[in-house]
Amino acid sequence: RRMETKVLRAADNVVCISETLRKEAISRDVEENKISVVPNAVDAEVVRKESDLFNEMKNKLDGKFVVGYIGSLRELEGVDLTAEAVSILKKAGIDVNLFVLSSQSGQNELRAYCNELGIAEDSHIVGPVPHDQVAPFYDLIDVFVVSRPDTRVTRLVTPLKPFEAMRSGTAVVMADLPALAEIVEDGKTGCLYPAGDAQALAVKIRDLLSDESKRDSLGQNAKNWIL
């Protein structure tokens, strides 16, 4: 932290990817007038290559409600909370599936947790695929969830994956953390829930699954904002 602060203060210009990081830099006595914010972004046009894995998952998930996540399974992503929310919905009698596309790292642990939760048969944890084959998978997801836990890093740093989900027109639900709340207008371009609260997350997901027009509206608004 001391080294970061030393570098920030000595730099001629500092570029941050979020307003939360800008405020963090200012709190470390970095001159405000030399800080710029250049937020995450995605290309307006995207390559769509439909892989064998995509076609396989499309057949498996066709006609089902799908709660999904695409990205790494590092601990700071908190995907286990999404799995927990899905298990709550299953116990409430809602026929929902969990879909996760990621690298191999962390997959076995997530599968074991899904088994523990009793949702192994309704969980599809697959990947990886080359980046140019990722885009079609967003079409399989009804509600894209970013369930990051409340930590210093997750409060400060904005992930890129929600931008890709929003570009695809998918309804997004995210933990109410400063860096995430910065990119979602709650109820208009996405939904926020209290970080770490699986019950609250389940309620948000259930509300969206029961209201297709709300999902479509959130997704379209999000896409327009991204573009």
Side-chain angles (χ1 to χ4, degrees):
R1 184 181 170 89
R2 279 197 304 272
M3 199 66 216
E4 281 177 0
T5 302
K6 184 178 178 181
V7 170
L8 286 167
R9 289 176 183 170
D12 294 315
N13 289 284
V14 176
V15 181
C16 299
I17 62 166
S18 67
E19 191 62 31
T20 49
L21 279 173
R22 187 184 79 88
K23 289 175 182 173
E24 172 70 12
I26 291 168
S27 76
R28 299 193 197 186
D29 293 328
V30 178
E31 292 173 32
E32 194 169 343
N33 62 1
K34 72 176 186 180
I35 305 172
S36 304
V37 175
V38 179
N40 277 329
V42 287
D43 290 334
E45 297 299 319
V46 63
V47 176
R48 288 183 61 88
K49 285 188 181 178
E50 294 189 0
S51 58
D52 291 340
L53 177 60
F54 169 76
N55 291 321
E56 178 191 336
M57 295 314 303
K58 186 178 179 182
N59 290 333
K60 280 186 179 179
L61 297 171
D62 189 42
K64 298 177 180 177
F65 282 134
V66 179
V67 171
Y69 168 79
I70 295 174
S72 72
L73 293 175
R74 294 174 299 169
E75 193 173 334
L76 69 81
E77 301 299 349
V79 182
D80 53 334
L81 194 84
T82 301
E84 192 180 336
V86 168
S87 75
I88 291 168
L89 293 170
K90 294 292 293 184
K91 286 170 187 169
I94 298 166
D95 188 15
V96 61
N97 279 241
L98 173 68
F99 171 73
V100 174
L101 178 67
S102 70
S103 60
Q104 287 286 330
S105 179
Q107 285 189 0
N108 289 337
E109 290 83 352
L110 184 58
R111 286 193 192 99
Y113 189 54
C114 288
N115 189 51
E116 195 180 307
L117 291 168
I119 60 168
E121 290 185 8
D122 302 296
S123 301
H124 311 273
I125 301 159
V126 299
V129 297
H131 193 261
D132 65 358
Q133 294 179 16
V134 170
F137 286 93
Y138 288 101
D139 297 344
L140 305 177
I141 298 170
D142 294 299
V143 179
F144 186 94
V145 179
V146 181
S147 50
R148 286 184 156 191
D150 188 352
T151 67
R152 181 172 173 274
V153 171
T154 58
R155 292 178 72 82
L156 288 175
V157 180
T158 313
L160 187 58
K161 284 299 173 189
F163 286 74
E164 297 185 349
M166 293 164 86
R167 175 187 58 195
S168 73
T170 306
V172 173
V173 177
M174 301 202 284
D176 191 359
L177 299 165
L180 295 176
E182 188 176 318
I183 59 173
V184 165
E185 189 177 343
D186 191 22
K188 185 176 180 184
T189 58
C191 291
L192 299 172
Y193 74 94
D197 190 335
Q199 288 286 351
L201 174 56
V203 168
K204 290 284 185 184
I205 295 170
R206 185 185 65 203
D207 289 348
L208 288 175
L209 292 180
S210 66
D211 190 342
E212 186 178 1
S213 65
K214 180 71 181 292
R215 293 200 307 274
D216 290 346
S217 172
L218 285 176
Q220 191 57 54
N221 289 341
K223 185 175 183 176
N224 292 341
W225 180 77
I226 289 289
L227 294 177

